[in-house]
């Protein structure tokens, strides 16, 4: 069985429309492309893309994996949805997002870069206090802003995501 291609927004923006024929994309990416590249959305609307929404179950699998690796705090809801679709469809994710590539490697999901060379090693992340350096619990939610990680319960300094090891 041939692998289904799941496309990140970087592919939607940079690839020729013909190259994307039959690929699966996240319904939520429409808004992202319309905001940044409205003229591109016209071409995508008439293309042979499959606009889909992942099941709640596959989103939960993706969320648990991202929490386990520590990547969750650097993901958008679109990123999480793309990973969920790739898991659900047993697909190959085309992305230049290093966190998504890291997650794919950890999950055994095939991935290919869109325009970059891609990652060369797998990393894990942890949340640490920027003051006393104590380790904090990983959030179980997607966040886009550092300040949403909160403050250290021991000293009150901001929490930050750091590479383990």
């Amino acid at each position: 069985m041939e692998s289904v291609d799941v496309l990140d927004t970087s592919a939607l923006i940079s690839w020729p429309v013909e190259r994307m024929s039959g690929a699966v994309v996240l319904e939520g990416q429409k808004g992202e492309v319309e905001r940044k590249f409205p003229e591109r959305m016209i071409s995508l609307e008439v293309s042979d893309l499959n606009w889909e929404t992942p099941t709640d179950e596959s989103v939960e699998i993706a969320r648990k994996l991202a929490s386990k690796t520590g990547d969750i705090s650097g993901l958008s809801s679109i990123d999480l949805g793309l990973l969920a679709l790739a898991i659900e469809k047993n697909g190959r994710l085309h992305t230049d997002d290093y966190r998504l590539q890291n997650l794919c490697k950890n999950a055994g999901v095939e991935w290919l870069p869109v325009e970059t060379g891609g990652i060369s090693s797998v990393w894990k992340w942890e949340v640490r206090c920027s003051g006393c350096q104590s380790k904090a619990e990983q959030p179980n939610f997607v966040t886009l802003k550092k300040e949403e990680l909160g403050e250290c319960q021991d000293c009150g300094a901001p929490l930050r995501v750091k590479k383990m090891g």
Side-chain angles (χ1 to χ4, degrees):
M1 185 170 129
E2 193 171 313
S3 185
V4 173
D5 289 317
V6 178
L7 306 181
D8 193 356
T9 305
S10 57
L12 291 178
I13 293 166
S14 63
W15 281 3
V17 173
E18 308 80 47
R19 183 173 178 189
M20 297 182 272
S21 181
V24 174
V25 291
L26 190 64
E27 186 70 36
Q29 287 174 278
K30 285 182 180 178
E32 196 172 55
V33 174
E34 283 175 343
R35 276 191 311 278
K36 296 177 181 178
F37 301 94
E39 67 286 346
R40 178 67 169 174
M41 196 60 216
I42 296 167
S43 303
L44 296 178
E45 287 287 351
V46 296
S47 67
D48 184 30
L49 289 168
N50 297 305
W51 299 90
E52 298 189 23
T53 302
T55 64
D56 291 342
E57 293 82 18
S58 53
V59 170
E60 188 56 28
I61 291 168
R63 182 184 309 283
K64 285 180 180 175
L65 175 67
S67 291
K68 182 179 173 187
T69 64
D71 287 297
I72 189 117
S73 60
L75 294 179
S76 70
S77 58
I78 298 290
D79 295 335
L80 197 64
L82 287 167
L83 178 62
L85 273 178
I87 291 169
E88 183 177 311
K89 302 287 183 187
N90 195 25
R92 175 179 44 233
L93 182 58
H94 295 267
T95 182
D96 283 338
D97 185 295
Y98 291 157
R99 285 196 185 265
L100 281 175
Q101 293 172 6
N102 192 55
L103 282 165
C104 285
K105 279 203 174 224
N106 275 288
V109 172
E110 187 180 355
W111 64 272
L112 291 168
V114 174
E115 293 185 333
T116 66
I119 62 171
S120 57
S121 61
V122 177
W123 289 1
K124 291 210 177 200
W125 305 91
E126 61 188 5
V127 177
R128 288 213 172 257
C129 173
S130 61
C132 69
Q133 298 301 309
S134 65
K135 187 175 174 182
E137 199 171 304
Q138 280 288 341
N140 61 358
F141 57 89
V142 176
T143 180
L144 295 174
K145 299 176 186 154
K146 290 183 204 176
E147 55 272 10
E148 290 179 2
L149 289 173
E151 297 175 346
C152 178
Q153 291 182 351
D154 296 331
C155 73
L159 297 174
R160 300 282 186 248
V161 176
K162 301 224 179 211
K163 184 173 108 174
M164 290 175 66

